[in-house]
Amino acid sequence: MKAQSMPAVIVRDGEKRGEWNALSLEMVEVPALKEGEALVQVEACSVNRADLLQRRGLYPPPPGASRVLGLDFAGFVVKAPPASAVKESDRVFGIVAGGGYGRYLAARAQHLVPIPENLSFTEAAATAEVFFTAYYNLFVQAGIKAADTVLLHGGGSGVGTAAIQLCSSTGAAVIITAGSEDKIKRALDLGASAGINYKQEDFAGRVLAITRGEGVDIVLDSIGAPYLHGHMEVLKTKGRLVIIGLMGGSAGEINLVPLLTKRIKIIGSVLRSQSKEEKTEITGGFIETVVPLLRSGRVKPIIDRIFPISKVEDAHRYLREGAHFGKIVLTWEQL
């Protein structure tokens, strides 16, 4: 790998808090490799809401992480560390704390996932962050079982489409919320058991009606504070509330009585800031649990739209509009 510089998308004027800071495709240095890291040529990456937050100065990368935007990638190894399981030219994908919007990135070899033969780079990029998030929070954090019923907010999102399929693969029933009848229909086609239009119905009352008053075992929540009260209502005894986002706000009040009497667990979860050892363990579980499902076609990435990396501003705008179903992908192929 002789190149000393590479194109990458950066926040041009710094990440000023609360502002839609400008993006720029610029030449930056190729990342230097640390011990145990591989250099990957990125062919595609996906757009995540965390990218929008970082752009606005609301979600800074952890200390030592790349300032280049992007939390996932798919590409091939151009330089592997000694005595590593990955080799040069291997097709790989994965998640990173930053750097996914660069032409090259450095990633620990133990955090790389082999791309199944039936997936393209674009499909693998659409898989990475959302299937990792859904797997970790459903299987590791919530301990999903076949008999469970899951309430999933944002059924049309990337995480939502991944979570619906992973729940279905275990035999668990899934109730989703979405903002349109079209998204609900597509979520049902993907494997959801029932759908609720949150713009027209109170989700808590509707969940209790659907489950005949029994409620749900797991809630996977990206909304946060406004839904806390409703979640206490719909969770069963020993229910698990896994909060993975705060799109609706971070400060709220709840009645602690059902939290105690039903022995509900509230779990806060984020992947980005976890240690390299934790990420190695998560990656191993993902390879064992999810990759066989991807290889067999039992689960698959759902791609809404593909943009060339030069149109990253359009891709961010499209995500902000919220009309997408599944993932928005950026590719270097058309640059």
Side-chain angles (χ1 to χ4, degrees):
M1 228 297 293
K2 298 180 180 181
Q4 299 301 308
S5 62
M6 65 174 189
V9 176
I10 63 169
V11 182
R12 186 172 60 205
D13 300 320
E15 296 163 8
K16 299 174 184 175
R17 187 172 179 83
E19 298 184 20
W20 285 106
N21 300 292
L23 300 181
S24 180
L25 185 61
E26 298 184 5
M27 298 300 293
V28 302
E29 290 186 2
V30 172
L33 297 181
K34 300 174 184 177
E35 184 178 356
E37 289 185 335
L39 189 67
V40 177
Q41 179 171 314
V42 177
E43 297 299 315
C45 62
S46 80
V47 181
N48 297 291
R49 289 202 175 273
D51 305 337
L52 304 186
L53 291 173
Q54 181 173 335
R55 176 181 179 173
R56 296 178 64 204
L58 302 176
Y59 191 34
S66 172
R67 303 297 298 186
V68 174
L69 286 173
L71 299 183
D72 58 25
F73 65 93
F76 60 89
V77 177
V78 293
K79 187 174 183 181
S84 169
V86 298
K87 306 299 180 187
E88 292 183 8
S89 79
D90 282 356
R91 298 193 326 138
V92 294
F93 72 105
I95 56 174
V96 284
Y101 286 22
R103 188 52 160 145
Y104 297 94
L105 62 76
R108 289 190 64 81
Q110 293 172 312
H111 299 169
L112 298 176
V113 181
I115 298 177
E117 300 78 8
N118 55 317
L119 295 186
S120 66
F121 286 123
T122 301
E123 290 168 326
T127 298
E129 195 272 343
V130 294
F131 272 91
F132 259 97
T133 298
Y135 157 73
Y136 177 66
N137 291 293
L138 290 169
F139 287 76
V140 180
Q141 298 285 60
I144 191 171
K145 303 184 295 295
D148 285 338
T149 299
V150 180
L151 172 60
L152 169 64
H153 293 294
S157 68
V159 172
T161 55
I164 289 168
Q165 296 178 78
L166 289 180
C167 288
S168 297
S169 75
T170 69
V174 191
I175 301 170
I176 65 99
T177 66
S180 72
E181 295 306 314
D182 177 66
K183 286 187 178 182
I184 289 173
K185 180 182 181 303
R186 295 177 72 178
L188 294 174
D189 291 342
L190 202 55
S193 306
I196 301 166
N197 188 329
Y198 67 84
K199 294 182 179 179
Q200 298 177 358
E201 300 180 276
D202 170 62
F203 82 85
R206 186 69 181 127
V207 166
L208 291 174
I210 291 169
T211 61
R212 299 181 181 180
E214 290 188 4
V216 299
D217 301 280
I218 298 169
V219 175
L220 191 60
D221 176 39
S222 57
I223 306 302
Y227 282 6
L228 275 172
H229 177 74
H231 291 151
M232 293 301 103
E233 286 188 68
V234 303
L235 278 164
K236 296 179 182 178
T237 297
K238 296 186 179 180
R240 290 87 78 197
L241 168 59
V242 186
I243 301 175
I244 62 172
L246 301 170
M247 291 173 59
S250 59
E253 294 184 1
I254 59 171
N255 182 351
L256 294 176
V257 172
L259 182 70
L260 297 177
T261 58
K262 294 197 283 185
R263 291 164 283 161
I264 292 169
K265 292 182 180 179
I266 300 179
I267 303 165
S269 180
V270 64
L271 282 170
R272 190 181 196 185
S273 59
Q274 296 203 36
S275 70
K276 59 180 181 291
E277 292 80 12
E278 290 170 319
K279 290 178 180 177
T280 297
E281 185 176 353
I282 294 166
T283 301
F286 182 90
I287 291 173
E288 181 179 342
T289 304
V290 180
V291 169
L293 297 173
L294 291 164
R295 186 176 291 117
S296 69
R298 289 184 62 193
V299 304
K300 61 183 179 181
I302 306 299
I303 299 175
D304 183 284
R305 191 169 295 187
I306 302 169
F307 292 84
I309 196 79
S310 60
K311 299 294 184 180
V312 62
E313 189 66 72
D314 293 339
H316 275 215
R317 187 178 303 111
Y318 185 55
L319 179 62
R320 289 166 60 185
E321 290 169 355
H324 62 289
F325 185 87
K327 288 300 293 179
I328 301 165
V329 178
L330 297 169
T331 177
W332 289 93
E333 188 174 307
Q334 303 170 41
L335 184 67

